[in-house]
Amino acid sequence: MMLKNYLLIDDKNLARFDELYRDYKRMYEDPDNCSPKFIIRTPVKLSSTVRERVEDPIAMLKAELDILRSHIEIGDDRVPSVRVQFGTAQVAAAFGCRMHVFENSLPAAGNHVVKSIEDIYKLRKPALDSGWYGKLKEFTEIFKENLPPGVHIQHPDIQSPFNNAYMIRGNDIFLDFYDDADAVGYLLDVVTDYMIELVPYLKNMISDDREWFFDWGAMWKGAARISNCSLHMISPEFYTKHILPRDKKLLKAIGGGRIHYCGTSDKVMDQMFKIDDLAGFDYDANHHNLWDICDKIPKNITLLQWGDPPEAQQSTVERLLKGDWPKKRNIIIEAQAGSIEEGRELLKRLRASVPD
């Protein structure tokens, strides 16, 4: 099954997307004179399971295009992009972790390959095509052969130095901080150095653009997203001492990027906001307030707020609909609607609520 004609984007939408790309660039380059963006998610019934998609690149691409189609019909600010969805453990798999494939959830690490502190020091950087990265390249090539005109490929999920170190070592890493902090540092350095080499390798697979990348339906300054989901299991002090230097090193080396943080600590976020090469940041509305964050985040960092479950966004959306907007303009808001029609109406109301 060939998919080049499966989702046809007409000239009107192609022109709209060209302007949308310029708008996303303004969010970083001219944050005082940009406009907030809205990504409206609606239920999409897919014809394949995650397991089937992980085994079949055409099935995966079809599902990605089905999700994209709903956004085009709504007319929101999601950029036309798709991702090879292999889950969070791709770097860990390169280091030797087994990838566990679920029926209807994305693959995850099935084991931890470093069993002792002594084994940490035996760890070396793997080849760039280790683990599932050979398969990722195969899927990416098939995606590129079948992409409808105007559709781009999002950057693969690479997680972060600490998320990957945690998957490689497992829960013992939390004791390692006390038993042998130098070993944790060695593990983090090996992972960070591998990621620094990995990002341009992956970037070359998907794009010729070295300044911008597609991720989570938006366009971002830099090269990649790092995901710091596991930080809620360590203290802000441990983050500042052990993890922050590696996050800084990684983002600087790859030419900047953004951070995903689904934790609860304002102190951790405050440290992240000091990273010079941070251009974008997203967080969970369950744990943080949009207006509070807008008051302290640097002006040039584009902010994305989402909620899990999506209902967590409701109070924010209701407040925005009343015209109560923060002064910050480079904001992306995810919202949920029950149907395409409801999504169009919500998008119309949100756009009308933005102050001039």
Side-chain angles (χ1 to χ4, degrees), residues 140-194:
T140 300
E141 290 303 317
I142 293 172
F143 268 39
K144 290 162 73 172
E145 291 170 3
N146 287 274
L147 278 181
V151 179
H152 306 275
I153 298 181
Q154 298 190 48
H155 198 280
D157 192 328
I158 60 169
Q159 293 298 294
S160 66
F162 184 63
N163 274 18
N164 291 322
Y166 170 60
M167 284 185 274
I168 292 166
R169 178 70 172 117
N171 289 335
D172 287 335
I173 196 171
F174 301 117
L175 297 178
D176 295 342
F177 277 113
Y178 297 95
D179 295 338
D180 192 340
D182 289 341
V184 177
Y186 178 86
L187 173 58
L188 288 167
D189 285 337
V190 172
V191 172
T192 302
D193 290 344
Y194 179 67

Side-chain angles (χ1 to χ4, degrees), residues 238-255:
F238 272 26
Y239 173 71
T240 301
K241 181 177 180 180
H242 299 286
I243 315 302
L244 179 61
R246 278 81 183 189
D247 285 352
K248 287 182 175 180
K249 178 182 178 180
L250 174 59
L251 286 174
K252 182 177 180 61
I254 65 175

Side-chain angles (χ1 to χ4, degrees), residues 64-117:
E64 292 286 293
L65 293 173
D66 284 338
I67 294 169
L68 176 58
R69 187 189 305 275
S70 65
H71 293 278
I72 294 175
E73 292 179 1
I74 290 171
D76 67 1
D77 298 316
R78 191 194 194 283
V79 295
S81 57
V82 296
R83 169 180 281 131
V84 177
Q85 299 281 14
F86 284 164
T88 58
Q90 295 173 66
V91 171
F95 278 90
C97 292
R98 176 175 53 83
M99 191 82 89
H100 183 79
V101 178
F102 300 90
E103 190 65 27
N104 264 313
S105 296
L106 289 176
N111 67 336
H112 312 295
V113 292
V114 175
K115 303 299 184 182
S116 68
I117 287 179

Side-chain angles (χ1 to χ4, degrees), residues 24 27 37 39 218 220 302-305 331-334:
Y24 271 115
M27 297 184 89
K37 299 288 175 283
I39 297 176
W220 304 87
T302 297
L303 191 64
L304 185 155
Q305 178 173 297
I331 300 171
I332 306 168
I333 297 293
E334 282 195 4

